[in-house]
Amino acid sequence: MLQIKKVALSIAFAMASTQVSASILPDHQVNSDWYQDAAAKLDAQVEQSPNIAAKNVVIFFANGMGPTTLTASRIHEGQLRGETGEENSLSFEHFPDMGLVKTYNTNQQVADTAGSMTAMSTGVKTKAGVIGLTDNIERGDCGIQDEKLHTLLELATHKGMATGIVSTGRVTHASVAPLYAHTSNRDWESSVSGECNGLVSDIAYQLVHEAAPLNVVLGGGSREFLPQSLDGRRAEGDLTQDWVERFGYNASYLDSRDSFDSLDFSQADRVLGLFSDSHMSYEVDRDDELEPSLSEMTEAALELLSNNRRSQDNGFFLSVSASRIAHGHQAGNAARALTETISLSEAVEATRTYLEQEGLLEETLILVAADHSYTLSIAGYPKRGNPILGISEVYDGQGLDGIVDTIDGPGYTTLGYANGPGAFVSRDNSGDRKDPSLDLPPNDNFDPMDPAVINYLQQATVALDESTSAGEDVPVFAIGPRSYLVRGTSEQNSVFHVINLAAELGAQPYQSK
């Protein structure tokens, strides 16, 4: 017990002596019940452990990766290698520490991405659709100046760390923007409503002109930065040119695979890379000659950040968003959602490999956190090794197996959604598929990369144009200095506090009682 108290006191002393003082955060942020409750819980978690702060932070945000997505992706990855799959583990499932986070927004039982990402980025929960603001704001409000919340990225910049963002989605999307932007409407990516002109800037403009200056931004969404005259969505102005002009010497804008390959990231200082008009391609559809992969973008960002002159003394902060997991789920298309999760796992493993080779692994906190879940489920009694993307073929323990007839027709998919577009195409009154081209191949001739499998819309119960988010707790995994702080079940805004304490960003002193 005495040793624990000594550790707690040493952490408190270290926090009090960081470069960033508690005064950097406004009262409405620090005094928020959300902020105070999460801080108190982490304070109680200080335990006997080497008191080493994380010099660097790499956080992976898995947009839409709920527990079922995790399980199904691990099985799918194993089956792609020819294994039964159930015994497989994704790279980050080997991390020593994990917990669960509760995902609701202040006004919704089932969360949206904007509110969830704001909670994890600022330590304060807020309303759905709102980015970087307290829940005193209603969606679409113009008077937001007094309700802004400071983000992890802003705190890292204030501390002197080199910073970066990587995403498979638009870099202005709600899965990324809460790290640097403040707006009452997640949809204001390249313009705002007329009554808010002059009061709120659009998200892309904030990234280039108003946000804490980032060292590297890689992902999709060039249309939000370009004027209509260049096939963009802006009324006027080319923000990609503004980026280069803002940072001047050694600033680059990349818009192609060739420009990505030709840049020496170890010698770069400020890089904006937008490789797609909107979201980047799903991994299964990606043309390697046109777009870099998530792993490649992550490694490039790490190369820039770890060699940056700022990071030599103060470390770096990198956020990586696997945004397209959610988009696969929204489409009712489990195959693409699962392969995006596997791509995330590969990027996490590539990060560990790079950091280990550079001698940075022991001083880097790596987290993998989801924003919310989707309505995907694994159901029935499929036999061991049954294709996770296929028809549920059962084994009854007595040597009898086969496809089970259902009330409305033969067979059902192992994976299904509670709602979504799959309900429109799943069955007609006779029990047959409405669109025969979407039929899955029989399990004895199953190719998980067959276009029929990749494009298949899993069966859904309630017919909706898009599948919705789900409300269960989602996982967070961690490895590195003070990674134990993620353990247990916590409010989602605790992710901010874990990183703040582990990296000593200085948002709050965290003094033990």
Side-chain angles (χ1 to χ4, degrees), residues 481-504:
R482 299 175 184 164
S483 63
Y484 62 83
L485 292 170
V486 304
R487 297 175 192 169
T489 299
S490 305
E491 296 290 349
Q492 192 162 38
N493 49 300
S494 68
V495 173
F496 167 95
H497 294 272
V498 167
I499 296 173
N500 177 44
L501 176 54
E504 297 186 352

Side-chain angles (χ1 to χ4, degrees), residues 41-55:
K41 180 170 182 177
L42 282 181
D43 183 62
Q45 282 184 251
V46 174
E47 61 178 59
Q48 187 170 359
S49 179
N51 182 28
I52 302 172
K55 182 177 181 180

Side-chain angles (χ1 to χ4, degrees), residues 379-403:
Y381 300 98
K383 61 185 179 182
R384 176 74 182 275
N386 197 74
I388 192 65
L389 293 172
I391 301 296
S392 183
E393 189 169 339
V394 304
Y395 173 67
D396 69 0
Q398 299 177 354
L400 301 175
D401 60 317
I403 296 174

Side-chain angles (χ1 to χ4, degrees), residues 405-432:
D405 286 343
T406 63
I407 293 174
D408 65 350
Y412 54 88
T413 53
T414 301
L415 296 178
Y417 289 94
N419 55 42
F424 291 111
V425 298
S426 293
R427 304 283 176 183
D428 59 23
N429 290 334
S430 68
D432 294 329

Side-chain angles (χ1 to χ4, degrees), residues 1-11 51:
M1 181 62 69
L2 179 59
Q3 181 63 28
I4 294 176
K5 290 182 178 179
K6 287 182 178 179
V7 171
L9 288 172
S10 63
I11 291 177
N51 182 28

